[in-house]
Amino acid sequence: MNTTVRRDIRLKRPPLFAGVLVLSALALAACASADTTTSTSTDGSTTAVSAGLDLDLFVDGAIVGDPATVDCTLNGGTETTCYEITISGYPTDHEIGPFCPDTTSTSADDAGIWFDGEEVYDLDGEFIANLAETYGDDGWHMYDEDGNVYVTDTVEAFEAAARPDVDPDYQNYCIEGSYDFLDNGEPIESTVLIPTTPVAADASAASQGNQGITLDGVVIAESAPVDAILGAYTIASFDDCGAHFNPFEGYHLHGATGCSEVGDAAEGETPIFGYAMDGFAVHSPYSDEELANVELDECNGHTTDELGYHYHANSAEKNQVIQCLVGETVASDDEGAGGPPAGGAPADPNE
């Protein structure tokens, strides 16, 4: 049985300061700082919010061209302004990969990770060798008699294995993508519309499609279709940053592991690494120990005097970076509202 389950692969950070003041996301913040403002929703309630997306936090190369400020209508009917931002789809602050192991002897240092909603695993050779035991299914056998792991090493193999209806010839393959497999071997840029100042929604809601963007220019995607992946006897490998490729959306993020963080964390906080589609900041996950000393709402967010309202990402094993959204987002019929989900291929129009 593989013993290299990784429950916490984030960067180390100072322990939580137990005395930090936290407030409910939907309560009025007292003594709001210069970094916060208030928003009144359609039911008349007031919410302490952050001052909005800070373009200066994005790393060099994360944004393509110059962001624009445009008029937009949010899904709650609010008419406001949004940033129109094109992100690079390529993280300039860290290397991508590795992903799949080459053999059943490959160490964790030379492979990525896998998470399935329950655990984070080192995607090393030992994990591949023990798939049948891990998932209680003798149908798993992802390597040949010499211990070489079956990996999608061509464009054709990648596309056949990464589509919703996996080609039977590519069952028991570790799916690994590369920029070389994308059109012209280039990253896929994405244009998004995000409110310049967050607007509180009447009620929290699950995000539809892309959840946000990282500060190094990568889409935060919705949950990966783990059941479909495992049901086809495949593993859609992630690198140590919790991201991977598919043929349609390029490189995108499914789990927050401490990458793309910018700046120092405030006391009792974790660093910011991105923004949700409603304009609220997204910070790295708290550890289990830290969570015992902090109160988060149903969307894993809270309000502090220094930062206003912001989210904390789920831990990577949950396969859902942002739990839900408390703010309004651009109405779905607005062009550039975030694009199709990056968790997999577009749905079959015949289904």
Side-chain angles (χ1 to χ4, degrees):
M1 182 73 175
N2 178 50
T3 58
T4 55
V5 175
R6 294 202 282 189
R7 298 181 182 273
D8 187 356
I9 55 178
R10 297 184 293 109
L11 304 179
K12 294 182 178 179
R13 54 178 59 92
L16 180 69
F17 175 58
V20 66
L21 175 64
V22 295
L23 302 174
S24 167
L26 300 178
L28 176 62
C31 304
S33 74
D35 293 330
T36 64
T37 185
T38 58
S39 175
T40 302
S41 61
T42 56
D43 65 0
S45 62
T46 306
T47 301
V49 300
S50 68
L53 186 148
D54 185 351
L55 294 171
D56 291 336
L57 290 179
F58 287 82
V59 302
D60 290 344
I63 295 177
V64 178
D66 295 324
T69 302
V70 299
D71 294 332
C72 58
T73 301
L74 306 185
N75 56 5
T78 303
E79 294 184 0
T80 184
T81 59
C82 287
Y83 288 120
E84 185 177 55
I85 304 170
T86 299
I87 58 169
S88 64
Y90 184 97
T92 56
D93 59 344
H94 65 264
E95 293 185 2
I96 291 174
F99 294 97
C100 296
D102 293 327
T103 73
T104 53
S105 299
T106 300
S107 71
D109 291 338
D110 295 320
I113 60 175
W114 164 249
F115 42 80
D116 57 10
E118 299 292 336
E119 302 284 359
V120 176
Y121 301 90
D122 282 313
L123 190 53
D124 53 16
E126 181 185 1
F127 176 76
I128 295 295
N130 289 316
L131 276 169
E133 185 174 358
T134 297
Y135 288 115
D137 187 339
D138 291 338
W140 288 96
H141 197 83
M142 201 172 282
Y143 56 92
D144 65 19
E145 61 184 9
D146 296 319
N148 298 306
V149 177
Y150 300 129
V151 178
T152 55
D153 55 2
T154 66
V155 174
E156 293 75 20
F158 180 52
E159 293 183 347
R163 70 192 194 193
D165 55 334
V166 175
D167 187 321
D169 288 343
Y170 290 97
Q171 292 189 356
N172 266 307
Y173 264 71
C174 186
I175 304 173
E176 176 175 311
S178 166
Y179 280 130
D180 294 339
F181 297 169
L182 305 180
D183 286 346
N184 301 316
E186 296 179 354
I188 296 178
E189 300 173 357
S190 297
T191 299
V192 297
L193 289 175
I194 296 178
T196 53
T197 300
V199 176
D202 290 341
S204 62
S207 59
Q208 301 295 318
N210 297 336
Q211 298 182 337
I213 55 176
T214 68
L215 296 176
D216 60 359
V218 175
V219 165
I220 301 173
E222 64 180 355
S223 301
V226 167
D227 289 345
I229 292 167
L230 295 177
Y233 295 104
T234 56
I235 294 292
S237 60
F238 305 103
D239 62 15
D240 282 348
C241 287
H244 66 182
F245 292 89
N246 70 34
F248 310 96
E249 299 297 325
Y251 185 77
H252 56 276
L253 187 78
H254 287 291
T257 66
C259 297
S260 65
E261 296 176 338
V262 171
D264 296 326
E267 191 168 27
E269 278 294 330
T270 61
I272 182 175
F273 74 91
Y275 284 95
M277 294 305 298
D278 60 6
F280 287 112
V282 185
H283 290 240
S284 284
Y286 279 123
S287 67
D288 289 342
E289 180 181 2
E290 291 168 335
L291 281 172
N293 297 297
V294 68
E295 182 180 353
L296 301 178
D297 64 21
E298 62 182 345
C299 293
N300 278 3
H302 63 172
T303 301
T304 67
D305 283 346
E306 183 174 357
L307 300 173
Y309 184 82
H310 57 281
Y311 300 109
H312 284 271
N314 279 315
S315 52
E317 71 268 12
K318 293 186 178 180
N319 180 34
Q320 184 176 11
V321 177
I322 299 172
Q323 185 68 24
C324 54
L325 299 178
V326 301
E328 294 185 15
T329 59
V330 173
S332 59
D333 58 352
D334 280 9
E335 184 178 356
D348 187 339
N350 297 316
E351 293 182 352

